[in-house]
Amino acid sequence: MTTPTDTPNVVLHIDRLVLHGFEHVDRARLGRAVEAELTRLVAERGIAPALAADARHPRIDGGRIDAASDTPTPRLATLIARSVHGGLSS
């Protein structure tokens, strides 16, 4: 894994985030919270060396999370960001 000082600039576009059973969630707020947490994770932990060396990855699996429908937005954002970062780290 790269160290934070070795981490290149990363531009990540999340095309689709599917949430079943989370109708109450403010999607804009969730999006901002996921972005902030993912930024923090990449800054602290870096990304996989293969991604750092060759950024042409059309799709990275962000994984799947299981959370109760009443999970608070900040916690949900953390779970999503950690799952996405897992895809960036392997």
Side-chain angles (χ1 to χ4, degrees), residues 3-5 7 37-46 85:
T3 62
T5 56
T7 302
E37 179 64 9
L38 193 51
T39 298
R40 185 189 71 75
L41 289 169
V42 169
E44 283 184 7
R45 302 178 187 174
H85 186 262

Side-chain angles (χ1 to χ4, degrees), residues 14-72:
I14 298 176
D15 183 54
R16 186 175 351 150
L17 178 60
V18 179
L19 300 172
H20 297 288
F22 292 90
E23 290 76 21
H24 71 282
V25 172
D26 178 337
R27 294 184 186 276
R29 180 175 172 225
L30 178 63
R32 289 188 304 272
V34 169
E35 181 180 357
E37 179 64 9
L38 193 51
T39 298
R40 185 189 71 75
L41 289 169
V42 169
E44 283 184 7
R45 302 178 187 174
I47 59 175
L51 278 176
D54 181 7
R56 295 172 295 167
H57 294 273
R59 183 177 185 275
I60 297 169
D61 188 347
R64 177 187 172 105
I65 64 164
D66 289 313
S69 63
D70 62 347
T71 301

